């Protein structure tokens, strides 16, 4: 009977030769990784309370550490998630954009946790793949998933659940915590929200409230991109021009015809119709009771609205729905934190809150992400680790989603594979700034030509400067002085006063490309594969 287990044993040995599990104390911490989708740091009150209060997410910062300079390697959903799982840049794990496949031969850190005796679970949005590696139990949304009455891929096949997705993901997570978590094992839990991804649809309890609110406009809402290059001018992310009237602003599709409004995209009308078709009768009635009066008011006002008025109207509609989605996420975080307290788990559980990247909330007139520009590049990061992290502490060090895997592995006493490219943030979490020597980070965005038409670019970012190279159908460089120009309105690349900075940053960028194994040859390889 023992013989048939030998192949399994050999396979395990081969799979994990890249790592070594250290001797682990009995108090290995549990890790809860909470990630929202497209949650801008500007929409977390621990960073800024101009738009919304998020008391439950803020609690993690109050009881842990708030990172003010956290960022991503590629501001796009699936690439970011693959980088988090592997601890590698996109050109190594293969998921350079939302279209290219993930290299499934890559070792992901959940596999290492599973091999080290952790119980693992994942609920919510993974975005790619339908069988996450190293996860004991999962219920994940297929692709982007839906806000209402979503389908889920599970260990036992596909299911459909009636209700609102943030609440459903929370219920699934809490059900696992209460009923199927093994109290004799440490656990690694992925709690992954769809919200606030486009198209933004809040639950009834929040759209009833948020549709009545008004929000301050960012000072760059009407940016004309004069201070930047071709990439900013040609990107298709402008709220007025490119945000869908039906799918995003929630006008009924037939209203566009009635008012003679040209749809913003080929899928504009269908995007909203698809949502109507998913509602139950009760959900649709509740939705119409709130949104129909908004539509009627718009119909009356539209003939007298100039482009500036239309922009302001669409911005408010955007914020009302986007922030209504976040309110539900914030509630869900509170549900989990309260349970950890009640169950006596809080003291030995690391809680992480982050997003897969940042998001533009009207800055530069934009929505979406993709750019190395600040609102897209920066991501929220809050970590609570009782007994280790000083409550209410902050860090302005430059950390990336590239660092998550190695950080979690060190927390658990598991040796990281040598080919991971991040750095463990544990020294920072312990207050040891001298144990952190990174002074710059690397970024590379690939998905072009594609939706939103953000050109391919790579760059290096320090606390003081940001140097970017846009390539493929252009060859343009941009330099921003992050301290003097935090809104990134003026490209200083050709300013003689910054010549020495440009030279120094280019030299650093070249070394960083070598360090991470990126190159012009790989740039061209991915262009050729993409265009094929």
């Amino acid at each position: 009977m023992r013989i048939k287990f030998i192949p399994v044993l050999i396979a395990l040995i081969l799979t994990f030769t890249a790592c070594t599990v250290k001797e682990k104390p009995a108090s290995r911490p549990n890790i809860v990784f909470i990630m929202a989708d497209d949650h801008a740091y500007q929409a977390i009150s621990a960073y800024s309370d101009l738009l919304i209060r998020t008391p439950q997410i803020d609690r993690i910062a109050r009881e842990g550490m708030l990172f003010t300079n956290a960022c991503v390697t590629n501001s796009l959903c699936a690439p970011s998630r693959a980088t988090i799982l592997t601890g590698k840049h996109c050109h190594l794990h293969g998921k350079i954009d939302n279209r290219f496949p993930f290299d499934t031969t890559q070792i992901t850190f959940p596999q290492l946790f599973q091999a080290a005796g952790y119980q693992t679970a994942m609920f919510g949005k993974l975005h790619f793949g339908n069988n996450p590696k190293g996860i004991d139990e999962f219920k994940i949304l297929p692709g982007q998933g839906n806000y209402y009455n979503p389908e889920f891929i599970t260990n036992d096949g596909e299911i459909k659940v009636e209700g609102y997705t943030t609440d459903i993901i929370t219920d699934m997570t809490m059900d696992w915590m209460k009923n199927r978590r093994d109290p004799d094992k440490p656990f690694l839990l992925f709690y992954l929200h769809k919200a606030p991804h486009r198209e933004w649809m809040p639950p009834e309890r929040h759209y009833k409230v948020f549709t009545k609110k008004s929000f301050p406009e960012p000072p760059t809402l009407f940016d004309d991109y004069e201070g930047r290059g071709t990439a900013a001018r040609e990107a298709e992310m402008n709220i007025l021009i490119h945000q869908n009237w039906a799918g995003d602003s929630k006008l009924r599709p037939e209203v566009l015809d009635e008012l003679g409004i040209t749809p913003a995209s080929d899928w504009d009308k269908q995007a909203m119709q698809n949502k109507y078709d998913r509602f139950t009768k009760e959900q649709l009635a509740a939705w119409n009771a709130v949104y129909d009066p908004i539509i009627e008011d718009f119909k009356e006002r539209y003939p007298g609205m100039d482009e500036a008025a239309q922009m302001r109207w669409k911005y408010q509609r955007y914020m009302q729905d986007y922030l209504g989605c976040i309110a539900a996420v914030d509630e869900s975080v509170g549900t989990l934190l309260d349970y950890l307290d009640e169950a006596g788990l809080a003291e030995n559980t690391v809680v992480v809150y982050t997003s897969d990247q940042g998001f533009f909330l009207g800055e530069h007139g934009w929505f979406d992400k993709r750019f190395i520009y600040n609102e897209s590049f920066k991501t929220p990061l809050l970590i609570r680790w009782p007994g280790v992290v000083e409550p209410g502490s902050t860090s302005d060090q430059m950390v990336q989603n590239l660092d998550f895997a190695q950080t979690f592995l060190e927390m658990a006493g598991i040796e990281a594979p040598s080919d991971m490219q991040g750095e463990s943030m544990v020294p920072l979490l312990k207050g040891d700034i001298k144990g952190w020597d990174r002074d710059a980070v690397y970024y590379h965005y690939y998905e072009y030509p594609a939706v939103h038409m953000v050109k391919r670019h790579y760059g290096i970012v320090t606390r003081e400067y940001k140097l970017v190279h846009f390539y493929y159908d252009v060859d343009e460089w941009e330099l921003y002085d992050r301290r003097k120009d935090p809104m990134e309105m003026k490209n200083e690349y050709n300013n003689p006063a910054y010549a020495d900075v440009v030279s120094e940053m280019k030299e650093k960028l070249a070394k960083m490309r070598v360090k991470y194994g990126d190159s012009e040859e790989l740039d061209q390889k991915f262009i050729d594969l993409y265009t094929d």
Side-chain angles (χ1 to χ4, degrees), residues 119 123 137 139 171-183:
Q119 187 180 14
F123 304 99
E137 179 178 336
K139 293 182 174 68
D171 290 345
M172 289 174 170
T173 301
M174 298 311 301
D175 176 56
W176 181 85
M177 288 284 289
K178 294 175 181 179
N179 300 315
R180 285 183 308 289
R181 179 180 59 83
D182 185 344

Side-chain angles (χ1 to χ4, degrees), residues 406-418:
Q406 283 166 271
T407 300
F408 301 152
L409 289 167
E410 182 171 348
M411 287 175 171
I414 305 170
E415 188 168 324
S418 60

Side-chain angles (χ1 to χ4, degrees), residues 384-440:
R384 186 182 80 176
W385 190 1
V388 177
V389 173
E390 182 70 25
S393 56
T394 61
S395 173
D396 65 354
Q397 297 298 313
M398 301 204 70
V399 300
Q400 285 190 294
N401 56 353
L402 184 72
D403 304 319
F404 290 170
Q406 283 166 271
T407 300
F408 301 152
L409 289 167
E410 182 171 348
M411 287 175 171
I414 305 170
E415 188 168 324
S418 60
D419 60 348
M420 282 188 173
Q421 296 182 306
E423 296 180 33
S424 170
M425 295 183 285
V426 167
L428 294 178
L429 293 167
K430 292 182 176 180
D432 178 15
I433 298 177
K434 293 181 179 178
W436 184 264
D437 61 359
R438 179 188 289 156
D439 63 356

Side-chain angles (χ1 to χ4, degrees), residues 65-86:
M65 181 174 286
L66 178 76
F67 288 84
T68 59
N69 246 335
C71 60
V72 297
T73 64
N74 181 352
S75 186
L76 197 60
C77 296
S80 175
R81 292 157 192 269
T83 290
I84 288 169
L85 289 171
T86 62

Side-chain angles (χ1 to χ4, degrees), residues 78 82-83 85-86 88-97 100-108 111 128 133 419 525-526:
T83 290
L85 289 171
T86 62
K88 296 178 184 178
H89 278 277
C90 297
H91 59 276
L92 295 186
H93 61 60
K95 196 68 181 162
I96 60 169
D97 56 26
F100 270 73
F102 174 63
D103 177 2
T104 56
T105 66
Q106 295 286 328
I107 296 296
T108 65
Q111 290 177 274
F128 66 90
K133 294 161 60 173
D419 60 348
K525 170 189 171 183
F526 289 124

Side-chain angles (χ1 to χ4, degrees), residues 124-125 151 154 176 178 194 214 222 277 348 386 394:
K125 179 181 174 182
E151 291 81 14
T154 78
W176 181 85
K178 294 175 181 179
K194 169 186 170 59
S214 295
F222 292 95
D277 293 343
N348 195 38
T394 61

